Amino acid sequence: MAQVPTSEKPSRREQILAAAAELFARHGFHGVGIDDLGSAVGVSGPALYRHFRSKDAMLGEMLTSISEVLLAGGEARAAGARTPRDTLGELVAFHVDFALDNPSLITVQERNLGNLTDPDRRRVRGLQRRYVEVWVRAIQDAAPAADEPRARAAAHAVFGLINSTPHSRHLDRDAMAALLRQMALSALLDVGSTGAADLNAAV
Amino acid sequence: MAQVPTSEKPSRREQILAAAAELFARHGFHGVGIDDLGSAVGVSGPALYRHFRSKDAMLGEMLTSISEVLLAGGEARAAGARTPRDTLGELVAFHVDFALDNPSLITVQERNLGNLTDPDRRRVRGLQRRYVEVWVRAIQDAAPAADEPRARAAAHAVFGLINSTPHSRHLDRDAMAALLRQMALSALLDVGSTGAADLNAAV
DNA sequence: CCGGCATGTTAGCGAGCGCTAACGTCCCAT
DNA sequence: ATGGGACGTTAGCGCTCGCTAACATGCCGG
């Protein structure tokens, strides 16, 4: 296979990270050994140390880059939206697409934050906090009756809803995306109401 | 059928399981050693083998009993409800209460199914499948426009929403329960509609 | 009083872990 | 042609893991 020397440097690291994401998602960080990771990309064992300083560094790089992508995408979508409800719709659609296209990454980020080193965890938590902030502002703008703790709790709940995707594959991708968007938006728009009754409006 | 034939063992096993649930939830199954588990209940290390045959058996018993409690509770609530929408409300309330009262167990069940031994995993999966069935029937009864795969996907999504509780503790218990019930029901009742716009039913 | 059971202890085993050392090979730039 | 860097190999280290062995102690019914 011919390699282009200058522009296309990256492939091996990302190939390793993709394989690692799948294995970490399936067995947990501590349930996967260096040899497992190596043989998943066709090399064996310690060869990985030509590309990463440690197993911890693989997880760190993986979760940091996910968090950066989510934050950047969320901010971009929020900035491009016109109305508060449009903002919410954009954020939901963005997160749904990401979760459907990267189920392993979503799973690893949900389950293995606690296996990061302290500096890595601090950085990832900071990025996640800023991503949640984007959502909290959007929720409060679209549903002014929700105070901030309530909006924050709602954001986490919707993440749980959307991130459940990797564990249920009963629909094809587009139908699943439509269902998740619909459920997420319904749940979010009801956060503003106080009690049992509905406050439904048209789209 | 897995009951010990002798007299009931009251406290120690359950004390160990409770401590193990918290540790497994925080660090993952492979991230907790038996010395950690022992010292969490005041004894140290191998003393646990007076109560459990192995570390795997602790996880197995933990997840089996959760699944049994959820299934029994779900069936009882569904049997006692009058209308389809009432059934859904009962199921949602039941699951919300369970998740809020047992955050560690919920987390372990979500994350560590893959660490079970094969027979344990088969049993737990079977119980979970029956619990999901209860939900699928309730969803289809309450929202007849939803076909079965759609109802199944919706059930998993709502589990994700409710089970996100352990990761966000911004509200007191009752406010959190009310919010989760409201969001879950809104999401579920919209599953019946077909596309982007309407088909909303009255309360 | 005592024998047995329940429950705990410490010492240590074999296996597996993450990782390093030492070494080989291919590929290009000079 | 050749020397060096990128990339791979195998052997093996130090450590921790789950678990067993061997032994101690307190309670309890005959």
Side-chain angles (χ1 to χ4, degrees), chain B:
Chain B
M1 312 316 173
Q3 288 296 81
V4 279
T6 63
S7 61
E8 52 258 49
K9 324 205 158 207
S11 82
R12 206 59 202 256
R13 286 176 68 91
E14 296 172 11
Q15 182 191 3
I16 292 169
L17 284 180
E22 196 154 332
L23 288 173
F24 288 165
R26 181 140 50 227
H27 306 289
F29 180 71
H30 290 300
V32 181
I34 57 157
D35 290 349
D36 303 320
L37 292 167
S39 63
V41 296
V43 306
S44 254
L48 302 176
Y49 289 86
R50 301 293 172 190
H51 306 276
F52 295 92
R53 277 168 41 249
S54 67
K55 190 187 167 197
D56 289 315
M58 294 184 210
L59 184 66
E61 187 160 324
M62 189 185 304
L63 292 198
T64 303
S65 94
I66 304 171
S67 305
E68 286 168 348
V69 168
L70 281 178
L71 175 59
E75 284 178 339
R77 299 295 190 105
R82 288 194 245 282
T83 71
R85 185 162 304 189
D86 187 30
T87 305
L88 225 45
E90 288 289 322
L91 287 178
V92 165
F94 167 68
H95 203 296
V96 165
D97 284 339
F98 186 90
L100 282 167
D101 294 339
N102 307 276
S104 305
L105 290 179
I106 284 288
T107 302
V108 174
Q109 168 146 101
E110 255 194 339
R111 297 184 183 175
N112 294 97
L113 230 168
N115 300 123
L116 287 172
T117 64
D118 284 343
D120 281 341
R121 180 166 49 245
R122 257 192 302 277
R123 173 148 54 197
V124 170
R125 276 210 192 282
L127 292 164
Q128 287 184 339
R129 198 185 47 75
R130 291 168 61 193
Y131 183 58
V132 174
E133 279 321 301
V134 175
W135 278 75
V136 168
R137 281 194 293 272
I139 292 169
Q140 289 197 269
D141 287 348
D147 59 4
E148 200 230 286
R150 203 169 153 82
R152 196 174 302 273
H156 283 284
V158 168
F159 293 159
L161 186 152
I162 298 173
N163 292 347
S164 72
T165 285
H167 320 308
S168 80
R169 275 263 121 113
H170 309 105
L171 265 47
D172 66 84
R173 208 214 99 111
D174 288 353
M176 192 69 186
L179 178 68
L180 289 175
R181 284 196 302 262
Q182 192 176 356
M183 294 179 72
L185 274 177
S186 301
L188 283 170
L189 294 176
D190 248 26
V191 172
S193 65
T194 61
D198 37 37
L199 271 195
N200 263 340
V203 181

Side-chain angles (χ1 to χ4, degrees), chain A residues 12 43-44 46-47 50-51:
Chain A
R12 207 61 203 257
V43 306
S44 251
R50 300 293 172 190
H51 305 276

